[in-house]
Amino acid sequence: MLKVKHVAIGVGLILMLSACNDEKVIKEKNMESGIEAEILTLEKLIKERKYEDLLVEMETLDVSESEIDKVRAVGTKFVDQLIQEKNVQFLGSKYNRMRIVLNREDWNKVVKIIEEEKKLKLDEMEQAVRTKDFLKVQELYENTKVLEDNEEFLAMYNYALYLQTDQNSYKASGALALAVNPKYFGRMRDEIVAGITNTSYANPSSFGPITLNDWGWIEHEYRSNLYTMERRAEEKKVMNEKIENARGMNPTLGMTYDEVLASLWGAPYDINRTVTEYGSYEQWVYGNGQYLYFEDGILTSFQD
């Protein structure tokens, strides 16, 4: 009986292992059929030139290490088709996103084509500025997305704007000085410096001309003021959002005067104000035993 029992247990284990293996094979087949379906979807999107949808699919695709090469192969087809179409606009605008889904070789192809396009457009911009073809300058500025943050591209564009103004004035030279970084040493640097330091309008009754030292100071002051304006604009935006959020609500601790005024309590019947060397304190009286207490403009306590 003992031997029979052992045989029965052994047969049971074999059946269990066999079932597990069968289940594993089924799962692998299901995964394989799943990835094949995904590949067909990706290739269909390439054929239909639905590149944004394709990129989203590749970004969200969940595949095993053993299947990654199949997806990379689709990425190669994707890049090759974009290059064949000379679709630099898509390559440039999706530059960072494509880096995540491509293999190194395909990514290097993208980098190469983008750098070639940048050089071509910089050459075109420089030629247009030098020949004073300002329509071409504007066209390049509006349509060359791959260079929208490029320092050389923007410096030459701003120099073209300078050339279209009354160049013999402090206003024209000053505008150019504001637009170009004093540490700029790219294309047309000499021409830009000559425009900023133009001395043709110098006379005792006017500002200028601008020196190289002035240029650095002007740029510094401009950037400093710009930062301050942007920060104040952001603070105002946040405050307006808080005021809007206060509408229809009861006052809560931490609110400002404006937030409370926008709340359900609105304006008080009376205000009692105390000022000491430690700050200002206000009691807002609403009647019916309701009071709000502020310290330096912030609601710190209440009675209701």
Side-chain angles (χ1 to χ4, degrees), residues 29-299:
K29 286 184 176 179
N30 288 339
M31 287 180 65
E32 185 175 343
S33 62
I35 193 61
E36 292 300 333
E38 292 285 359
I39 296 298
L40 288 174
T41 298
L42 297 177
E43 290 181 339
K44 184 172 182 287
L45 292 171
I46 291 177
K47 187 176 181 180
E48 295 174 349
R49 292 181 171 80
K50 294 181 178 179
Y51 299 140
E52 176 62 30
D53 294 341
L54 172 62
L55 190 53
V56 171
E57 285 288 334
M58 293 183 72
E59 287 172 328
T60 57
L61 203 57
D62 184 18
V63 295
S64 64
E65 283 293 325
S66 61
E67 303 289 352
I68 195 69
D69 287 342
K70 294 180 180 179
V71 178
R72 298 296 193 192
V74 175
T76 299
K77 291 181 182 178
F78 181 27
V79 170
D80 289 345
Q81 182 162 309
L82 288 170
I83 292 174
Q84 185 178 2
E85 294 175 356
K86 297 182 178 179
N87 194 340
V88 181
Q89 182 174 355
F90 186 89
L91 288 168
S93 62
K94 312 300 178 184
Y95 189 77
N96 291 321
R97 289 174 61 193
M98 293 187 72
R99 184 175 187 175
I100 299 171
V101 300
L102 299 177
N103 62 35
R104 184 180 297 274
E105 184 179 350
D106 291 329
W107 171 245
N108 287 337
K109 290 181 190 175
V110 173
V111 172
K112 182 180 178 182
I113 199 73
I114 293 297
E115 292 305 313
E116 288 174 352
E117 179 68 9
K118 285 181 177 180
K119 184 180 183 306
L120 176 65
K121 294 302 180 183
L122 285 170
D123 289 343
E124 289 183 19
M125 175 62 89
E126 183 174 355
Q127 178 66 16
V129 176
R130 290 191 183 281
T131 58
K132 298 185 179 181
D133 184 353
F134 298 128
L135 288 177
K136 180 66 174 178
V137 168
Q138 193 63 34
E139 177 189 335
L140 286 166
Y141 177 73
E142 292 176 358
N143 298 319
T144 310
K145 299 300 182 185
V146 73
L147 287 173
E148 59 186 0
D149 295 322
N150 183 274
E151 186 178 30
E152 285 188 301
F153 189 74
L154 295 175
M156 290 190 289
Y157 173 72
N158 282 290
Y159 180 61
L161 295 181
Y162 165 80
L163 293 176
Q164 297 174 74
T165 64
D166 176 11
Q167 300 163 36
N168 302 320
S169 69
Y170 178 81
K171 182 178 179 180
S173 294
L176 185 58
L178 288 175
V180 182
N181 191 319
K183 296 179 181 179
Y184 174 73
F185 286 93
R187 297 178 185 227
M188 303 190 73
R189 154 86 181 180
D190 291 343
E191 291 84 348
I192 291 170
V193 170
I196 291 171
T197 59
N198 181 8
T199 60
S200 63
Y201 60 90
N203 68 73
S205 62
S206 69
F207 290 109
I210 298 171
T211 66
L212 289 177
N213 287 335
D214 293 335
W215 184 10
W217 181 83
I218 290 170
E219 177 72 9
H220 172 75
E221 288 299 302
Y222 172 71
R223 295 299 171 194
S224 176
N225 291 335
L226 182 64
Y227 171 76
T228 300
M229 289 187 292
E230 289 175 344
R231 188 189 66 202
R232 287 176 179 172
E234 182 62 26
E235 289 173 352
K236 185 176 181 181
K237 178 183 175 183
V238 171
M239 178 54 66
N240 287 338
E241 288 175 353
K242 287 183 176 181
I243 291 172
E244 286 302 314
N245 291 336
R247 298 188 191 284
M249 293 178 56
N250 284 316
T252 57
L253 300 181
M255 280 187 171
T256 63
Y257 294 143
D258 289 333
E259 289 174 81
V260 171
L261 290 173
S263 73
L264 289 173
W265 285 31
Y269 293 119
D270 193 16
I271 297 177
N272 299 314
R273 188 163 183 257
T274 303
V275 179
T276 71
E277 60 180 313
Y278 303 107
S280 64
Y281 305 86
E282 290 190 9
Q283 179 195 54
W284 286 20
V285 182
Y286 287 87
N288 297 322
Q290 292 180 314
Y291 302 91
L292 297 179
Y293 299 90
F294 294 84
E295 292 184 19
D296 295 325
I298 302 299
L299 181 60

